[in-house]
DNA sequence: TTTGTCGTCATACTTTCGGGTGAATTAGTT
DNA sequence: AACTAATTCACCCGAAAGTATGACGACAAA
C-alpha cells in the first residue's frame, strides 16, 4: 500500500517536471491553456484510476467448504513401539476388529486357536483392555487400525 | 458501469465550466499557471481514484478453500427401519462398540444383565452377527454408529 | 377389546473369551 | 555361541458372551 502511494508520488513528480518542459518549450507558447489542462487531467485521471485499482486489488472473499474426509489412514508406528505391540499382534487386532472369532482367526492364519489366545492376551495387556471390543476401541483411538 | 462513466463525464464537464470561470476571474489573471494545473491534477486524480474504486468494486477474488470435514456422522434411519432395530437396541449397540461388557451396560442403564443379553441377542439376529465385535463392524458399515 | 410391538426379566445351557503358566521353535543381535 | 524377541502351542479354569424359551406389563393401533 505504501509502495503504491510512493510510486504515485514519484509519478506525480516526474509528471510535474515533464509538464514544466512541455510548458516552456511547446504548449504555452504555441497552444492554448486548455490543452495543457486537458493533458494534466488525462494523466492524473489515469494515475488515479490505476491507484484505485491497486487499492482494491486485495479484495478477496474466502469461502471455506467442507469436503468428506478422504479416509487416509496411516499407521501410528511410534505408538506401536511405545506400547511394544508386535506385527503379529497388530495383525490379530485388525482381524478382531473385523469381527472374527479366535477360531476363525486361527483358521485364517493357519495357526492354533491357543496361539491366537496368547497373542490377544498379550495385546490386551499392552492396550490395557479387558475385552476385545475394548481393544478395538483403543486401537482406533490410538491410530493402530482404521 | 455505464452509469459510473456517465457520472464521470458529467463531473468532468462541470469541472471544465468551473475551471473556465476560475481561469478568467481569478487564477490566470492573478496567479501562476502552476496553481491552475495543480488544481486540475488534484481533482482529476480524486475522480480517477473514485472511478477506479467503482470499477473494481465488484471484482472480488473468490477463494474456495476445501477443508476435510471432521467425521460428520448422520444416523441411517432408513436402514434402521429396514432391519427393524429399535432405539433401545441401537443404544446398546453403541455401548457395545464403546467396549463395555454386558454387565457394565446393565449397570449404566439400570436394568438387569439378562435384559441386555436379550437385547443384544435380538440385535445380533437383525444384524446377522454372531459376535459383538461383528455387530460393531456391521453397525459401522451400515451407518448405525459412528 | 384384541393385537402387536417394545422393553423388561428369568432360567438353563453352550460356546467363546480371557487369565495364568509353561515351554518349544525361529530369527535376529551382540 | 549366547542372548533376546517374537511366534508358536498346550492345558486349565473361571468369567463373559451368546442361544433358546418363556413370561409379564405398558402402550399404541386396529
Amino acid at each position: 500500500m505504501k509502495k503504491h502511494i510512493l510510486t504515485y508520488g514519484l509519478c506525480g513528480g516526474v509528471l510535474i517536471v515533464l509538464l514544466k518542459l512541455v510548458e516552456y518549450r511547446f504548449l504555452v507558447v504555441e497552444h492554448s491553456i486548455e490543452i495543457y489542462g486537458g493533458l494534466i487531467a488525462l494523466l492524473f485521471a489515469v494515475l488515479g484510476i490505476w491507484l484505485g485499482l491497486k487499492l482494491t486489488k486485495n479484495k478477496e472473499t474466502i469461502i471455506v467448504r467442507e469436503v468428506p474426509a478422504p479416509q487416509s489412514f496411516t499407521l501410528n508406528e511410534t505408538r506401536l513401539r511405545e506400547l511394544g505391540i508386535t506385527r503379529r499382534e497388530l495383525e490379530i487386532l485388525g482381524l478382531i476388529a473385523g469381527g472374527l472369532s479366535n477360531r476363525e482367526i486361527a483358521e485364517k492364519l493357519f495357526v492354533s486357536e491357543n496361539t491366537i489366545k496368547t497373542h490377544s492376551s498379550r495385546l490386551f495387556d499392552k492396550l490395557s483392555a479387558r475385552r476385545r471390543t475394548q481393544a478395538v476401541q483403543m486401537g482406533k483411538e490410538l491410530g493402530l487400525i482404521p
Side-chain angles (χ1 to χ4, degrees), chain A:
Chain A
M1 186 58 80
K2 283 180 180 173
K3 204 183 75 180
H4 292 150
I5 292 174
L6 185 62
T7 311
Y8 187 65
L10 283 174
C11 284
V14 168
L15 189 67
I16 293 296
V17 173
L18 194 67
L19 285 172
K20 270 295 169 193
L21 291 174
V22 170
E23 175 186 350
Y24 289 120
R25 289 198 186 156
F26 310 99
L27 283 179
V28 171
V29 224
E30 297 174 11
H31 301 85
S32 69
I33 197 166
E34 277 79 6
I35 296 181
Y36 176 61
L39 266 181
I40 296 178
L42 183 65
L43 284 166
F44 272 84
V46 168
L47 279 173
I49 289 175
W50 170 78
L51 189 64
L53 289 172
K54 282 295 176 185
L55 285 174
T56 57
K57 189 188 127 191
N58 292 324
K59 252 193 184 173
E60 293 176 347
T61 305
I62 297 178
I63 297 175
V64 177
R65 179 190 302 164
E66 286 195 346
V67 297
Q71 283 291 3
S72 61
F73 169 74
T74 45
L75 179 63
N76 193 336
E77 305 258 6
T78 313
R79 198 107 50 181
L80 261 188
R81 263 178 238 122
E82 274 176 12
L83 298 170
I85 294 175
T86 69
R87 293 284 142 188
R88 197 58 158 174
E89 285 160 359
L90 180 65
E91 186 182 7
I92 284 161
L93 176 58
L95 294 171
I96 287 178
L100 302 189
S101 71
N102 286 340
R103 182 165 302 164
E104 286 166 340
I105 296 174
E107 284 168 7
K108 195 180 192 80
L109 300 182
F110 302 106
V111 294
S112 109
E113 193 180 337
N114 286 313
T115 304
I116 305 301
K117 281 190 176 188
T118 311
H119 283 316
S120 53
S121 253
R122 283 203 280 255
L123 181 64
F124 296 161
D125 255 10
K126 292 168 183 173
L127 287 175
S128 309
R130 302 195 160 278
R131 287 166 285 288
R132 39 180 54 220
T133 45
Q134 211 175 356
V136 170
Q137 162 83 356
M138 314 232 100
K140 286 190 190 284
E141 278 180 5
L142 297 172
L144 306 180
I145 48 178

